[in-house]
Amino acid sequence: MSEHSPHTGDGSSLADDLEMILARTLPLWEEMRGGRLFLTGGSGFFGCWLLESFIHANRFLKLGAEVVVLSRDPSSFRRRAPHLASAGCVTMLQGDLIRFNPPDGAFTHIIHAASELSVTRPQEALGLIETTLQGTRRVLDLARERGARKLLFTSSGAVYGPMAPGRKHLGEDDPVSALPLEPRSAYAEAKRLAELVCALYGQEHGMEIKIARGFAFLGPHLSLDSHLAAAGFLRSALRGEPIIIQGDGRTVRSYLYGADLAVWLWTILFKGVPGRPYNVGSDAPVTIADLAAAHVAVAAAPLEIRILGQVRPDVPPDVYVPDISRARSELGLDVFTPLAEGIRKSLLNGRAAGEGCNA
């Protein structure tokens, strides 16, 4: 997190998480033996967890596999996470999704996890859509040209649009609720179009393209500078500062821990049905106010919680929670790390990495 690498020296660190990931994915790795993976978005939250678990599995199982990681700024990533960027099986490739020189050689697997942030200004929205679609097409072309057998595209639960009042969960086959004329919908529309491009490309070229729709997450590698609630609450808990909730606290989310996320993504890549999207997240709802209270309870510190928004009874709370029954029934996936345990692990890792009052 921040400019620090996750601590991996004892049982209160990521070491236990990596063992858990390997244990739950152990039968799946054989197809990666001698393989070569191309990964976009390797320096982000998804990418770091994928790299952590790839390096661990590769070393423990002696797979002889390699990964090429596309990064806009490899030198910055090396400073932030030297144990990932400098691992022997990792090759850093400088470039962005639109302008990168494809590396030589074949690839057996590709994970396209790069993603632009949501925006609100029309000019930024146009750029986001263009980058998402052109970048996805470039990655798909690379997969076809280099003979990749399987490709995973990390999409987002944002593709469903705003959740209709009264609904509890969002399912993969549920109708979307789009707001196509608003700039803030650009991220959702870009992801939705990219999914369609992936599906069409897979049908045309016979490639196994898997789609993972991510929801909300927490854990090591989540940037403390993020605007996301989980990041802000963790930052406040580490620094002993008041936890600030800008809204009324009734917003409902659910959070999957990073190690669980890695298990889900590898399982979907290796076992998921091509062209069949899978929601990725927890189905255990929690209000933002309760999430803040959970951070205070786990931190065991007298932290103040300030809720700045006023409750409007005529406005229903915003709900964004996935239905994960498809992943459960088809792939045997589940929420393996309870929310409180995920917060505890995040706090322990943050303190070990030097985050806190002096960070």
Side-chain angles (χ1 to χ4, degrees):
M1 297 187 302
S2 186
E3 293 300 315
H4 305 282
S5 313
H7 181 57
T8 55
D10 55 47
S12 64
S13 66
L14 285 181
D16 288 346
D17 289 334
L18 295 178
E19 289 300 319
M20 183 278 280
I21 295 169
L22 182 58
R24 293 191 178 278
T25 58
L26 190 60
L28 307 178
W29 286 100
E30 191 58 33
E31 74 172 67
M32 189 61 78
R33 187 169 299 279
R36 193 165 182 242
L37 169 69
F38 184 72
L39 172 64
T40 73
S43 61
F45 182 76
F46 279 36
C48 284
W49 276 102
L50 288 166
L51 283 175
E52 293 274 12
S53 47
F54 178 90
I55 293 168
H56 182 69
N58 194 43
R59 181 183 300 122
F60 184 84
L61 301 175
K62 298 179 173 57
L63 297 174
E66 302 175 3
V67 56
V68 176
V69 181
L70 179 65
S71 172
R72 283 189 284 250
D73 191 353
S75 60
S76 175
F77 186 50
R78 287 190 183 95
R79 291 192 300 271
R80 180 163 59 89
H83 70 295
L84 298 180
S86 300
C89 61
V90 175
T91 299
M92 301 299 300
L93 175 67
Q94 184 170 12
D96 61 35
L97 281 174
I98 304 299
R99 295 169 291 276
F100 71 88
N101 294 320
D104 295 330
F107 289 99
T108 57
H109 300 76
I110 290 180
I111 300 179
H112 180 25
S115 182
E116 299 294 325
L117 297 176
S118 182
V119 297
T120 56
R121 295 173 53 196
Q123 186 175 7
E124 294 173 340
L126 289 171
L128 183 150
I129 294 172
E130 181 180 0
T131 299
T132 300
L133 294 181
Q134 290 188 14
T136 299
R137 187 59 187 265
R138 286 215 67 193
V139 174
L140 290 169
D141 286 340
L142 177 69
R144 177 179 56 83
E145 293 165 3
R146 303 304 170 85
R149 299 193 298 268
K150 295 180 180 180
L151 181 147
L152 173 65
F153 172 60
T154 62
S155 184
S156 169
V159 300
Y160 298 108
M163 198 162 173
R167 291 179 60 189
K168 302 293 186 182
H169 298 85
L170 292 162
E172 291 92 344
D173 294 327
D174 289 347
V176 299
S177 177
L179 299 172
L181 301 185
E182 296 189 16
R184 64 188 178 96
S185 298
Y187 178 78
E189 295 294 338
K191 285 292 191 182
R192 190 178 299 143
L193 286 170
E195 283 190 12
L196 178 59
V197 170
C198 285
L200 295 174
Y201 207 97
Q203 293 171 13
E204 181 176 353
H205 298 288
M207 293 172 55
E208 289 192 34
I209 299 178
K210 323 296 181 73
I211 296 172
R213 292 175 177 166
F215 279 73
F217 307 91
L218 54 75
H221 290 304
L222 186 65
S223 172
L224 296 187
D225 297 327
S226 170
H227 68 285
L228 299 174
F233 296 173
L234 178 61
R235 180 177 63 245
S236 297
L238 287 169
R239 299 177 181 178
E241 301 171 348
I243 293 179
I244 308 299
I245 299 175
Q246 296 296 332
D248 62 14
R250 296 187 303 153
T251 296
V252 178
R253 294 292 183 265
S254 62
Y255 292 88
L256 190 70
Y257 183 62
D260 294 19
L261 168 66
V263 173
W264 283 56
L265 294 179
W266 289 120
T267 301
I268 294 171
L269 171 65
F270 293 135
K271 290 179 57 180
V273 178
R276 184 170 173 80
Y278 294 90
N279 284 341
V280 177
S282 168
D283 61 350
V286 59
T287 67
I288 294 299
D290 286 341
L291 179 67
H295 278 77
V296 174
V298 174
L303 301 176
E304 179 187 1
I305 299 175
R306 300 176 186 171
I307 300 178
L308 304 184
Q310 297 295 319
V311 174
R312 292 181 53 190
D314 60 317
V315 178
D318 176 30
V319 180
Y320 182 64
V321 178
D323 177 343
I324 57 174
S325 57
R326 175 177 293 179
R328 277 199 178 105
S329 62
E330 295 185 8
L331 303 177
L333 294 169
D334 212 329
V335 180
F336 305 116
T337 306
L339 178 61
E341 179 66 4
I343 294 172
R344 186 189 72 84
K345 285 174 173 285
S346 301
L347 287 168
L348 284 172
N349 187 79
R351 289 164 181 159
E355 299 289 1
C357 295
N358 298 320

